[in-house]
Amino acid sequence: MNLADGVQIVSFGVLALMMLGAALGVVLLENIVYSAFLLGGVFISIAGLYILLNAGFVAAAQVLIYVGAVNVLILFGIMLVNKRQNFVPLRNAWVGKITTAAVCLGLFALLGTMVLATPWAISTAPVAGDTSTVVIGMHFFSDFLLPFELASVLLLMALIGAIVLARREFLPDALEREETQQPVLTLPERPRELASAAPGSPDRTLGTSPTQRNV
Amino acid sequence: MLKFLKQVTDYTKEAVQAARYIGQGLSVTFDHMQRRPITVQYPYEKLIPSERFRGRIHFEFDKCIACEVCVRVCPINLPVVDWEFNKETKKKKLNHYSIDFGVCIFCGNCVEYCPTNCLSMTEEYDLCTYDRHELNFDNVALGRLPYKVTQDPMVQPMRELAYLPKGVLYPHGLPAGSRRAGKLPEEILEEAEENGAK
Amino acid sequence: MNSGIDLQGSFIQLLVDLGLPVEVARVAWLPLPMLLVLVGATLGVLVTTWLERKISAAAQQRIGPEFAGPLGMLIPIADGLKLLVKEDIIPAKADSLLFTLGPAIVVIPVFLSFLIVPFGQNLLITDLGIGVFLWISLSSIAPIGLLMAGYASNNKYSLLGGLRAAAQSISYEIPLALSVVAIVMMSNSLSTIDIVQQQSGYGILGWNVWRQPIGFLIFWIAALAECERLPFDLPEAEEELVAGYQTEYAGIKFGLFYLGSYVNLVLSSLFVSVLYLGGWNFIIPIESLASWLSISESTPWLQVLTGSLGIIMTLLKAYLLVFLAILLRWTLPRVRIDQLLDLGWKFLLPVSLVNLLLTAALKLTFPFAFGG
C-alpha cells in the first residue's frame, strides 16, 4: 500500500465517522440550532466523500448549494421565527415514535436489500475527473433532459410561491385578520380617550380660547 | 411595448447617472490625497494660538474691585466673587475669586466688560486633568501666567495657515524671522494714521 | 507552449538527487505550499491594513501611522501582536463551543481559496479543474460561521449582524457567480490558469475587462458586498449594530474575523485581476517581445524574469483594486439594508443575467473574439 492509498482510506474513515456522528446529532440533539449547524457538517462530509471519488465539481456544487444555500436558509428560518409556544407533551407520543421507527427501519431494509441485490459492476473506464463538467452537461442535455427540466420547473414553482407569499396584498383579507398577532413587547392598543375630553369638562368646547377663558 | 422600452431607457439613464455621481465622488476623494496633510503632531508640535485666541482666563487679584459685572454678563453667572464690605475704608474687599473652566464656554463676555481689565484671555488651551473639580480655578490658579508654546523647549511651535509667508503651506522648517503674508495689524494702523494726518 | 518554472518538480528532483526516495520527497514538499499560503495571505493582509491606514489618512488630509518603523510600516505587526496578547473573553451566557467555532469557520474557507490563485503559469498551489467554482462554493460557507458567531454571542446586535451578513452574502453570491459564468463561457474552462491563458497574447487589449465591462462592474460590486466593505458594511454598521456579529468578540477571535475580512478583500482583488485584468500578463505580451528580440523561451533568465514579472503584475493589479476599494470606502455612504437587497436582487441579478445572455449571443456570433 503506498502513501496515497493510506491517506485515502484514513480520510474515508474520518469523513464517514464525521458524517454519521453529525447525522445522529441532527436527529438526537434537543437544541434545534445545533441540529441545523450539524446538518452543515453532514453536507460538508458528503462533499468530502465526493472529492475522494474524484468528483470535485459535484463536491463544490454540494458545498455551494447545500451548505451555502439550503443550510443557511434553514438557519435563517430558525432564527427569524419569533413564535414562543409552551411545550405540550402529546398524549400518544409513543405511537408516532413507533411509526417513525418502523418507517425508518423499513427504509433501511429496503436500501440494504437494494445495496445487496445490485450487481456492483465497478467500471474500469477512466474517471472523468476534471472533465466531469463536460460529461455532466452532456447528460443534462441528452438522456437526463426530462428530470433536469422537471427540477427547474419545480424550482420555478418554489420561486413564484415565495414571491406570492412575500407580496402580502395577494393574500385574502380574512386570513390576515385571523392571524393578527400583537408585536412583541407592546401592549394591546386601546382606543385613546383623554380624561379632560370627557363630556362635561370645561376644556371640551373648542371655541374657548385662552384669552376668552381668562376674561 | 413602447412604455416598457421607455422604462428600460429611463432605468439605464438613472444607473448611468448614479455611476457618474460615484465617479465624481471618487475624483474628489482622489484629489484630497495630494493635498497637504493638516496634521500637527500634538505633544511635540503645537500651533501658535492667534492674537485673539480665547483660552483660559487670567485674573489679577489686586486690580479687582469686586463689582460683579463679570457675574452679571456671564451667560451662566459662572464667576464666584467672594467679598466683604470693609467699613473703615468703605470699600469692598475681595476674599476669593474662582471660575470653573469645566463649565466656562470661553465666550469672553467677562473680559469684555471688566471695568478694571483685571480679567484677560490667555492662549492656554490644554486644560486636561484627571478630576473635573481640578478645573475649578481659584484666584491663585487664575493668576498664573500661561505657558507659552514658543518658549517651551519640549515643543516645536507651528504657525497657523494665516501666519505663514506667502505661497508657503507647510509650517515645518520655516527660516527664522520670515514674515507672514500681508501687513501686520499695527502696520495697517500706522498707515491709517499717516493717511489721516495728511 | 512552454510550461515555465516548475517549482514542485525541481524541488522533488533536488531531494531525489540528494538520495531520498521519491515518496519521501513528495511528502517533504507537501507542507511547503500550505505554509506559503498562510504566510503569503497573512503578509498580504498586513500590507493591506497598512495601506488602508495610510490611504485613509491621505484621503482625509492626515499623515497616518508614522512612528512605528519607517513610514509606520510596523503598525500592522503591532496590531496583530496586540490582538494576540489581549484577553480572550467568552461572555458568561454565550454558547462557548459555537462562539469559538464561528471565527474559524469564517477564516478557513477564505484561506483555502488561495489554493487556486495563480501568479504565473506554474506559480499556483493546485490547478484544479473546478478552479473558480471552488472559490464560489467555499465563500458560501462563510455565512454559516457568521450566523454561528451571531447566535452564540447571545446578544441581539450580534444576532442581527449575523443575519444581515448571511443575507447579504447569499444575495450577492448569485450575481457574482453569474458574472463568473460569463467569463467561464468565454474561456471554456473553470480553471484559473485557462482563464488567464485565454486573455494572454494581445497584451492589455486581450484582457477580459474589454469584453466584459458589465461583468467586471457587477463582479466588483458583488465582491465588495461579499467582503463587507463599505458601502456594504451593514453587518457591522456601528451606528445601529455596535459591531454586528463581532460585538462580543475580543482578542484573537476578533483578530480572526478581522484577518478574514481583509484576506477576503485581497482574495477578491486577486480574483478580479485574474478574471478580468489578465492575471500575470504584462501590458505587452512578453512572449512576442522575446521572439521579436530572438530570445529563446527556455532561456533561464527569461523564465525567472517572466515569473517575477508575473507575480509583480498580479500583485500590482490586485493592490490597485484594494486601493480603489479603500478610496470607495471614503467616498460612498453606507447603504440601507433594503437598498442593499434591492440593489442585489433587482439590479445586479437581472443585469448579470442579461450580461450572461449577451455573452452567449456574442460567443455564437463572433466565436473568434469571444472564445468559440
Side-chain angles (χ1 to χ4, degrees):
Chain A
M1 191 169 72
N2 61 2
L3 187 76
D5 281 347
V7 169
Q8 275 199 0
I9 286 175
V10 168
S11 42
F12 173 77
V14 170
L15 282 171
L17 274 180
M18 231 171 84
M19 187 172 74
L20 287 177
L24 283 176
V26 172
V27 182
L28 298 178
L29 279 182
E30 290 272 311
N31 190 338
I32 194 165
V33 180
Y34 277 23
S35 301
F37 281 130
L38 278 175
L39 192 63
V42 176
F43 289 144
I44 287 186
S45 331
I46 293 174
L49 288 183
Y50 287 145
I51 290 176
L52 277 186
L53 293 170
N54 261 342
F57 181 77
V58 185
Q62 164 90 9
V63 170
L64 177 66
I65 293 164
Y66 283 95
V67 181
V70 173
N71 201 19
V72 170
L73 283 180
I74 288 173
L75 280 167
F76 251 88
I78 292 169
M79 290 187 184
L80 285 180
V81 166
N82 197 11
K83 196 170 185 184
R84 290 192 173 265
Q85 206 171 14
N86 284 333
F87 182 71
V88 185
L90 284 172
R91 244 181 296 152
N92 291 325
W94 58 274
V95 180
K97 279 184 183 167
I98 284 177
T99 343
T100 321
V103 169
C104 287
L105 281 177
L107 254 176
F108 185 75
L110 200 67
L111 289 173
T113 44
M114 197 201 76
V115 166
L116 292 176
T118 314
W120 292 104
I122 296 164
S123 77
T124 48
V127 186
D130 281 354
T131 56
S132 61
T133 40
V134 180
V135 179
I136 291 169
M138 287 289 185
H139 279 300
F140 269 158
F141 286 99
S142 54
D143 45 351
F144 283 99
L145 185 62
L146 190 67
F148 181 61
E149 290 298 324
L150 277 180
S152 54
V153 168
L154 187 74
L155 285 178
L156 185 70
M157 276 156 61
L159 203 68
I160 294 171
I163 292 172
V164 168
L165 277 179
R167 291 183 70 120
R168 279 294 167 86
E169 59 253 38
F170 288 151
L171 286 179
D173 280 349
L175 220 152
E176 222 168 86
R177 216 175 296 138
E178 250 175 64
E179 292 187 3
T180 311
Q181 213 182 6
Q182 281 305 324
V184 190
L185 291 177
T186 50
L187 291 167
E189 205 163 328
R190 258 175 277 155
R192 279 199 198 121
E193 225 174 280
L194 280 172
S196 58
S201 71
D203 286 1
R204 192 168 159 250
T205 32
L206 289 166
T208 43
S209 66
T211 43
Q212 277 172 313
R213 256 184 280 145
N214 285 343
V215 172
Chain B
M1 186 65 201
L2 215 66
K3 198 181 157 207
F4 175 72
L5 276 181
K6 193 182 172 315
Q7 270 180 335
V8 169
T9 40
D10 284 355
Y11 195 73
T12 323
K13 267 183 199 164
E14 271 176 36
V16 170
Q17 192 81 19
R20 275 185 52 198
Y21 286 151
I22 289 174
Q24 277 180 9
L26 272 177
S27 65
V28 169
T29 326
F30 191 73
D31 182 58
H32 269 261
M33 305 233 327
Q34 53 193 355
R35 295 190 188 179
R36 185 180 72 98
I38 53 165
T39 308
V40 175
Q41 302 284 6
Y42 169 65
Y44 314 113
E45 304 173 351
K46 284 180 187 174
L47 286 179
I48 305 168
S50 61
E51 295 97 337
R52 284 186 275 172
F53 188 82
R54 299 203 294 230
R56 197 258 294 166
I57 291 163
H58 181 261
F59 173 72
E60 267 181 78
F61 191 82
D62 299 337
K63 274 193 191 173
C64 184
I65 54 170
C67 64
E68 289 193 6
V69 160
C70 46
V71 184
R72 266 180 281 147
V73 296
C74 181
I76 44 172
N77 302 343
L78 185 62
V80 178
V81 188
D82 172 27
W83 52 268
E84 58 191 334
F85 192 69
N86 190 335
K87 282 190 178 151
E88 286 142 38
T89 55
K90 290 187 178 166
K91 273 179 183 164
K92 289 187 203 165
K93 183 180 166 289
L94 186 65
N95 289 338
H96 299 99
Y97 186 91
S98 67
I99 297 176
D100 188 349
F101 287 110
V103 192
C104 177
I105 60 165
F106 302 96
C107 65
N109 275 353
C110 46
V111 177
E112 192 100 341
Y113 283 91
C114 182
T116 57
N117 275 345
C118 70
L119 287 172
S120 58
M121 285 294 193
T122 67
E123 55 189 46
E124 195 181 331
Y125 54 86
D126 32 9
L127 302 160
C128 29
T129 54
Y130 284 105
D131 180 3
R132 68 194 151 90
H133 300 295
E134 285 174 29
L135 287 171
N136 193 354
F137 280 39
D138 67 347
N139 43 16
V140 181
L142 283 168
R144 278 190 199 117
L145 283 176
Y147 221 79
K148 275 213 158 177
V149 173
T150 41
Q151 287 163 359
D152 192 341
M154 297 285 289
V155 171
Q156 184 139 34
M158 295 277 152
R159 293 201 197 175
E160 278 176 32
L161 190 63
Y163 295 88
L164 290 172
K166 194 176 180 188
V168 178
L169 287 173
Y170 212 53
H172 291 276
L174 273 182
S178 49
R179 263 181 62 104
R180 67 155 122 154
K183 294 167 190 157
L184 297 174
E186 51 266 32
E187 288 170 354
I188 296 172
L189 196 71
E190 217 171 278
E191 252 175 52
E193 276 169 357
E194 267 178 36
N195 286 345
K198 274 177 205 169
Chain C
M1 188 69 211
N2 128 14
S3 63
I5 305 164
D6 184 2
L7 280 180
Q8 179 178 7
S10 25
F11 180 81
I12 290 172
Q13 193 58 48
L14 181 77
L15 285 190
V16 170
D17 289 349
L18 283 176
L20 283 169
V22 184
E23 289 282 320
V24 177
R26 287 213 178 116
V27 172
W29 167 257
L30 275 180
L32 291 182
M34 304 179 198
L35 215 67
L36 190 73
V37 162
L38 278 179
V39 172
T42 316
L43 267 182
V45 167
L46 292 183
V47 173
T48 312
T49 51
W50 179 77
L51 274 179
E52 170 115 53
R53 281 166 182 276
K54 272 301 200 191
I55 296 171
S56 304
Q60 297 168 347
Q61 298 187 38
R62 293 186 284 113
I63 295 174
E66 197 181 21
F67 292 109
L71 289 172
M73 275 192 225
L74 294 181
I75 212 82
I77 297 168
D79 276 351
L81 281 179
K82 183 203 86 172
L83 286 175
L84 267 174
V85 297
K86 262 180 90 166
E87 187 189 355
D88 185 18
I89 301 167
I90 295 177
K93 296 234 172 147
D95 190 323
S96 60
L97 184 69
L98 293 184
F99 192 78
T100 318
L101 211 57
I105 291 184
V106 174
V107 168
I108 291 170
V110 189
F111 272 98
L112 273 182
S113 309
F114 266 94
L115 292 180
I116 50 158
V117 179
F119 292 95
Q121 185 64 40
N122 268 346
L123 292 174
L124 82 171
I125 309 295
T126 43
D127 181 14
L128 283 179
I130 53 169
V132 261
F133 195 56
L134 178 83
W135 173 53
I136 292 172
S137 68
L138 280 178
S139 69
S140 75
I141 298 180
I144 297 257
L146 300 180
L147 277 174
M148 205 179 263
Y151 168 78
S153 295
N154 200 4
N155 174 329
K156 53 187 145 190
Y157 297 117
S158 295
L159 182 60
L160 263 180
L163 284 175
R164 273 190 186 185
Q168 178 172 333
S169 182
I170 52 175
S171 39
Y172 277 79
E173 198 118 285
I174 302 163
L176 191 83
L178 283 175
S179 49
V180 170
V181 166
I183 293 283
V184 167
M185 209 184 251
M186 292 196 328
S187 62
N188 290 320
S189 166
L190 285 162
S191 156
T192 41
I193 293 284
D194 291 349
I195 288 172
V196 178
Q197 282 293 334
Q198 174 256 343
Q199 302 175 58
S200 63
Y202 298 97
I204 193 169
L205 293 174
W207 295 356
N208 269 336
V209 66
W210 309 120
R211 283 177 277 187
Q212 288 281 333
I214 308 171
F216 173 68
L217 285 178
I218 293 168
F219 189 90
W220 183 236
I221 295 172
L224 279 184
E226 286 274 304
C227 301
E228 287 153 19
R229 291 283 303 179
L230 265 136
F232 305 110
D233 71 332
L234 289 150
E236 47 207 273
E238 61 267 14
E239 290 87 1
E240 338 164 11
L241 293 182
V242 191
Y245 53 84
Q246 304 169 353
T247 307
E248 297 285 355
Y249 281 89
I252 193 58
K253 284 180 198 140
F254 173 78
L256 279 181
F257 275 129
Y258 194 76
L259 181 73
S261 76
Y262 275 102
V263 174
N264 215 346
L265 178 67
V266 174
L267 189 70
S268 301
S269 309
L270 280 170
F271 268 106
V272 174
S273 79
V274 164
L275 294 179
Y276 291 96
L277 299 178
W280 63 79
N281 285 316
F282 193 53
I283 300 171
I284 39 172
I286 289 272
E287 283 83 15
S288 53
L289 204 67
S291 64
W292 183 62
L293 291 171
S294 58
I295 303 164
S296 167
E297 270 190 12
S298 51
T299 326
W301 66 264
L302 183 73
Q303 287 207 355
V304 170
L305 184 75
T306 324
S308 41
L309 195 67
I311 296 175
I312 291 171
M313 280 317 283
T314 318
L315 287 178
L316 197 69
K317 289 165 185 170
Y319 276 100
L320 213 66
L321 288 156
V322 169
F323 171 72
L324 185 68
I326 297 170
L327 213 60
L328 271 170
R329 171 178 180 168
W330 298 111
T331 306
L332 298 177
R334 180 185 303 129
V335 294
R336 233 169 31 218
I337 184 79
D338 60 321
Q339 291 169 337
L340 174 96
L341 293 179
D342 265 9
L343 181 71
W345 291 103
K346 294 187 187 165
F347 181 75
L348 290 183
L349 181 60
V351 171
S352 56
L353 277 172
V354 168
N355 182 46
L356 188 61
L357 284 180
L358 207 68
T359 313
L362 284 172
K363 181 175 167 155
L364 289 179
T365 344
F366 308 106
F368 171 70
F370 287 86

